[in-house]
Amino acid sequence: DSGVTQTPKHLITATGQRVTLRCSPRSGDLSVYWYQQSLDQGLQFLIQYYNGEERAKGNILERFSAQQFPDLHSELNLSSLELGDSALYFCASSVEGGWYVGYNEQFFGPGTRLTVL
Amino acid sequence: AQSVTQLDSQVPVFEEAPVELRCNYSSSVSVYLFWYVQYPNQGLQLLLKYLSGSTLVKGINGFEAEFNKSQTSFHLRKPSVHISDTAEYFCAVSVQGAQKLVFGQGTRLTINP
């Protein structure tokens, strides 16, 4: 158990809908990362938040957005869903997350499997 | 930009045989290198990491990897595999100073009895 929790575990929805995925980082971790794992694209970095602020952006679609709340949990919002958005969405957390010459291990949650029908 | 290439999408081996999973990366700056394992229906778990220092890195579950700067490789090895090693293995890189991970496409390791 990494200490990172994600809800829900599974989500089935229809095209055009909007969903929210939730992530609670490990106690004490300030940084949250979102990754998407799909058969087509593999594992891709979407976005990173550090202590409530967006810190880095990857291949995140405009239809997707995220935020990190004062209690440090994060939500990933996916809207106008398409079939191709079906994937496993992982959240990871680390202690730090800024521009940092060092290393902070990222701990991954179990993922939310999204199926768009 | 950084990229990671895992040269084999699937590797079948017999139990107790040695295995090597290959990973090459490209980057114009210094990087950190990682191997993660994903067991069926689970999240990713860090196997080992290279940050600096000795190029031979030992990780959990008997795995080790060797960083080769001249060949830009970070191959994962285990001298004797077990059925429980059946999983997907991901090589990843992060640029020193940044935090995001760039992953390879993964290698599915299948252990046959």
Side-chain angles (χ1 to χ4, degrees):
Chain A
D1 184 357
S2 67
V4 178
T5 59
Q6 290 187 248
T7 56
K9 199 168 183 177
H10 301 277
L11 199 47
I12 301 175
T13 188
T15 54
Q17 295 299 305
R18 172 189 168 95
V19 297
T20 297
L21 313 184
R22 183 188 169 104
C23 168
S24 293
R26 292 187 324 151
S27 176
D29 283 1
L30 298 176
S31 204
V32 168
Y33 311 78
W34 287 97
Y35 293 86
Q36 178 195 58
Q37 184 180 30
S38 66
L39 288 175
D40 293 342
Q41 304 292 329
L43 253 172
Q44 288 196 103
F45 167 74
L46 295 178
I47 197 164
Q48 176 202 355
Y49 275 80
Y50 173 67
N51 205 19
E53 293 186 3
E54 183 183 303
R55 186 53 62 102
K57 232 173 180 177
N59 299 324
I60 188 166
L61 300 171
E62 284 192 13
R63 301 183 284 108
F64 296 1
S65 65
Q67 54 184 325
Q68 186 179 27
F69 295 87
D71 66 354
L72 300 177
H73 90 270
S74 177
E75 293 181 354
L76 180 67
N77 300 296
L78 316 176
S79 62
S80 302
L81 284 167
E82 302 175 359
L83 295 177
D85 298 327
S86 296
L88 195 51
Y89 291 85
F90 286 110
C91 166
S93 73
S94 68
V95 173
E96 290 288 341
W99 191 260
Y100 177 72
V101 181
Y103 167 70
N104 286 280
E105 180 174 344
Q106 292 183 31
F107 294 86
F108 282 77
T112 292
R113 184 170 293 281
L114 173 67
T115 303
V116 182
L117 302 175
Chain B
Q2 302 74 44
S3 67
V4 178
T5 302
Q6 290 184 241
L7 297 158
D8 306 292
S9 59
Q10 295 188 61
V11 173
V13 294
F14 288 105
E15 195 172 14
E16 298 183 9
V19 70
E20 178 180 81
L21 306 184
R22 298 180 294 168
C23 171
N24 285 91
Y25 70 94
S26 67
S27 175
S28 57
V29 298
S30 295
V31 296
Y32 298 136
L33 294 158
F34 310 86
W35 276 98
Y36 281 84
V37 60
Q38 184 180 25
Y39 297 106
N41 300 313
Q42 293 189 30
L44 284 85
Q45 180 183 5
L46 182 66
L47 267 181
L48 49 79
K49 59 185 182 287
Y50 172 78
L51 306 181
S52 65
S54 172
T55 58
L56 184 63
V57 180
K58 293 192 184 298
I60 62 172
N61 301 340
F63 284 94
E64 63 180 33
E66 185 152 21
F67 170 58
N68 188 318
K69 190 173 182 179
S70 62
Q71 297 187 8
T72 61
S73 68
F74 191 55
H75 300 333
L76 181 71
R77 302 185 183 99
K78 186 169 182 178
S80 175
V81 295
H82 302 283
I83 292 283
S84 58
D85 293 322
T86 296
E88 186 116 21
Y89 292 80
F90 292 92
C91 182
V93 63
S94 88
V95 172
Q96 290 183 17
Q99 297 297 324
K100 73 172 189 180
L101 292 168
V102 176
F103 286 92
Q105 286 295 99
T107 297
R108 186 172 299 277
L109 178 62
T110 306
I111 313 298
N112 299 306

